[in-house]
Amino acid sequence: MSADSQPKKTPLYDVHQDLGANLVDFAGYLMPLRYASETAEHKAVRTGAGLFDLSHMGEIFLSGPEAAKALDHALVGNLSPMAVGKARYTMIVAPDGGVLDDLIVYRLADQTYMVVANAANVDVVREALVERAAGFETAVDDRSDSYALIALQGPDAAGILARFTDAPLADLKYYAIMAGQVAGVDALIARTGYTGEDGFELFVSSGDAVKTWQTLADVEGVVPAGLSARDTLRLEAGMPLYGNELTSATTPFDAGLGRVVKFDKPGDFVGRSALEAAAQTPAGRRLVGLVARGRRAPRKGYAVVTSDGTPCGVVTSGAPSPTLGKPIAMAYLDSGVGETGLAVDVRGRHEPVDVVVLPFYKRS
């Protein structure tokens, strides 16, 4: 393996090693899969607070007088009307309507936006934005290596973070962002997350990552959490994962996320004609939730079958649910398939499942 193909290390790599994390190559980065018990990490986020290193995510800035117009053209959402300090979930699609990535866009100032992309897709998103913004008066700047991203998630997150910042967290609504200091470190504080719980994502300079992490990790009850817990948390919350529920062969409408596509915004956008056709055409499949009746968990790629064993869909994500105490999954079912008498082929055995409305878990 050549040196340039070695996985990257986040600014918190040494911290994870000291904590005894099981480190794995994820999207080109050495990331903590778990520290001890992924179930304990999961439950800490549901009942208290968990701390995540998300520094593998990408931060791409667009700035200039036509930054908003460029994003309206490049993405499926309508970003121009979004107020400063707000965030929006959106997607970037190919001309054929296939999803290239799902994104969160933050408006940091009148002419400045931050696009947060999934780690595996940063290059694709950056290159697409550069190409699509070429005709607009805006600059595209990938600052991913300059930022660390630390997430504090769970019902206790707000109370814990308030101990280390003077920022008015009570005024920070869900899907909003503000500049402030955390433990004396300059940060962008966003009330966003991928766990189904209240929480915050803190964008800090790479050099401030260890101090920020350690300050929060030293609080009694805060539990470092890895990728495994993050995956079961987002699965319970019914949140799609790129590469699973979303792919370049999937349109937003396939995934039941057509609401993020804004046809009423002014001007054209990449993928509009394909998505207009997709919106008018009955989907060939639909995304559903599955709860297994037995103990064997459906996994990504397993076939969903009818009562006579006929394949009728495929599992996109699956795992035992620590909160529900049962295996759960998201799956695409073929058009016209009913929701009774289904099973998942788990290594040759047909395990009965029940179709349920997503999400599996919603905080009270």
Side-chain angles (χ1 to χ4, degrees):
M1 180 180 284
S2 62
D4 60 1
S5 64
Q6 294 284 349
K8 298 179 182 179
K9 298 175 182 178
T10 78
L12 293 166
Y13 171 79
D14 289 339
V15 172
H16 302 320
Q17 277 205 314
D18 290 344
L19 289 170
N22 177 8
L23 294 164
V24 297
D25 184 348
F26 179 80
Y29 285 82
L30 281 172
M31 299 295 295
L33 184 65
R34 68 180 66 84
Y35 297 88
S37 161
E38 60 197 62
T39 300
E41 293 167 19
H42 178 111
K43 290 183 176 179
V45 176
R46 288 280 181 254
T47 61
L51 196 62
F52 298 85
D53 178 11
L54 307 181
S55 302
H56 60 311
M57 303 289 281
E59 294 85 17
I60 303 168
F61 285 69
L62 273 76
S63 57
E66 292 189 320
K69 288 184 178 179
L71 286 170
D72 286 344
H73 171 68
L75 311 180
V76 302
N78 189 11
L79 288 308
S80 295
M82 184 169 64
V84 173
K86 297 298 184 182
R88 186 159 297 166
Y89 176 78
T90 187
M91 297 182 188
I92 184 167
V93 302
D96 68 358
V99 179
L100 298 177
D101 201 13
D102 60 336
L103 312 164
I104 297 181
V105 178
Y106 300 89
R107 190 168 195 168
L108 303 181
D110 186 50
Q111 297 184 5
T112 304
Y113 292 78
M114 178 173 66
V115 179
V116 177
N118 286 297
N121 298 328
V122 174
D123 291 346
V124 169
V125 173
R126 180 188 62 249
E127 291 166 9
L129 288 175
V130 168
E131 178 183 344
R132 297 175 188 190
F136 298 89
E137 194 175 346
T138 185
V140 180
D141 183 15
D142 185 353
R143 303 182 194 173
S144 302
D145 290 339
S146 299
Y147 278 94
L149 178 56
I150 296 170
L152 181 67
Q153 300 280 303
D156 294 344
I160 292 167
L161 188 59
R163 295 164 55 179
F164 304 104
T165 182
D166 291 332
L169 299 182
D171 296 336
L172 190 65
K173 305 302 181 185
Y174 189 50
Y175 264 67
I177 191 168
M178 64 171 59
Q181 285 201 330
V182 176
V185 166
D186 290 335
L188 292 171
I189 305 169
R191 202 159 201 159
T192 46
Y194 199 51
T195 63
E197 297 295 340
D198 187 21
F200 301 86
E201 295 182 318
L202 309 175
F203 298 85
V204 300
S205 72
S206 296
D208 289 329
V210 173
K211 179 182 179 182
T212 307
W213 174 281
Q214 207 60 60
T215 297
L216 297 170
D218 284 346
V219 175
E220 184 177 357
V222 173
V223 176
L227 293 172
S228 287
R230 190 166 182 254
D231 192 50
T232 52
L233 289 159
R234 71 92 194 167
L235 175 57
E236 288 182 350
M239 295 178 169
L241 177 66
Y242 194 86
N244 292 41
E245 288 71 43
L246 301 172
T247 70
S248 60
T250 304
T251 73
F253 293 95
D254 291 332
L257 294 169
R259 64 183 181 278
V260 307
V261 182
K262 304 301 181 184
F263 293 120
D264 57 351
K265 63 180 175 179
D268 195 14
F269 65 91
V270 177
R272 176 191 276 273
S273 58
L275 292 176
E276 285 177 336
Q280 298 300 318
T281 304
R285 53 185 179 164
R286 66 190 187 279
L287 188 66
V288 301
L290 303 176
V291 176
R293 296 181 186 175
R295 308 305 300 176
R296 305 179 81 197
R299 299 291 184 178
K300 179 183 176 181
Y302 288 8
V304 183
V305 298
T306 61
S307 56
D308 64 1
T310 303
C312 64
V314 63
V315 172
T316 54
S317 297
S321 165
T323 303
L324 276 65
K326 301 176 182 178
I328 60 174
M330 287 194 279
Y332 277 112
L333 294 185
D334 297 339
S335 178
V337 173
E339 297 188 350
T340 59
L342 300 181
V344 172
D345 187 338
V346 180
R347 298 178 181 176
R349 288 180 53 180
H350 291 181
E351 300 288 343
V353 293
D354 295 312
V355 176
V356 299
V357 176
L358 293 170
F360 302 99
Y361 166 86
K362 192 171 185 179
R363 71 178 185 266
S364 56

